[in-house]
Amino acid sequence: MYKKIVYKIRNEVSLNTRQLPFLCTQGELNYQIARKRHFDKLPVISDYEQNLIDTLRSEGVAMTSLQALSIPSTEVMLQAANNLRPKIPQSISQNKNEFVVHATPQQILEHKEIFLWGLEQRLINIIENYIGLPVAYHGAYFRRDNINPVQIKSRLWHIDPEDRKVLKVVIYLNDVDENSGPFEYIPLSWNSEIISALKYTHGYVQDKTMEKLISPSHFKSCTGIAGTVILAATGGIFHRGKIPVSSDRYSVFFDYTSRKPIVHHSYGASFLSDEQLQLLAKNLTPKQRECVFWKEHFW
């Protein structure tokens, strides 16, 4: 309990003070030095993987497929995901504002192949090259986004504030069109103008506010068939989940930052207990364990 209180206070202080000119300058300097020192340690990746990173850096989002990524454990991960899918209810409460249902920690343990896919070395290599620093893995979130007109939280425009570079890898488990709640974003080229106009630091932005600054014609929806993969630089672009109106969306989100995020991730893989994480990490390599247990060295 004490740690959670400390983390909460620290997060608030980080969000509020990182905007001060001196702290921003010093923090940015330290960050650039760390990236420069790590540059020669970055893993080798293919030309295709480098193209994904180049698109991420210019657009903020890169789309691919499970087939194109060719991650070794994809088949067993998909089998586990398809087995889990019918076990996710449409609702777990009577709350009319409930718009998403997540797999429980116990369900993630029972379908561990999903969590473990996010630690495949080929995938971590791509992410490390994008972030430019050692990777912290914050877990896998199996979610069912429901047909529900409510527009709150992640259905509003926002930038993830936890680190300078936050990367989410999203896998669609069913076909997603404009009416099925696609991941939606505003290209990176609009960022400076929007942030300046809103004096944005963190939090959610209503549609009516955003549409005063930018035409909805510039909003981009990531549609695709089951197996579509989205690499989204959510720490640098405005994004949201569009409201599903024709069918629920099933997806898995894998979250990553550096191991020294601006805001300590109290959500991440911490929805799993230490004991549960140890069970999942039983057969991991030392490098994979470092991605999972990065918090042990945070302080």
Side-chain angles (χ1 to χ4, degrees), residues 142-156:
F142 189 109
R143 52 187 290 161
R144 176 179 182 172
D145 288 82
N146 300 318
I147 298 175
N148 184 332
V150 65
Q151 192 170 26
I152 58 175
K153 297 182 179 179
S154 62
R155 287 185 172 179
L156 296 172

Side-chain angles (χ1 to χ4, degrees), residues 225-238:
I225 62 173
T228 293
V229 179
I230 304 161
L231 281 70
T234 58
I237 54 168
F238 285 96

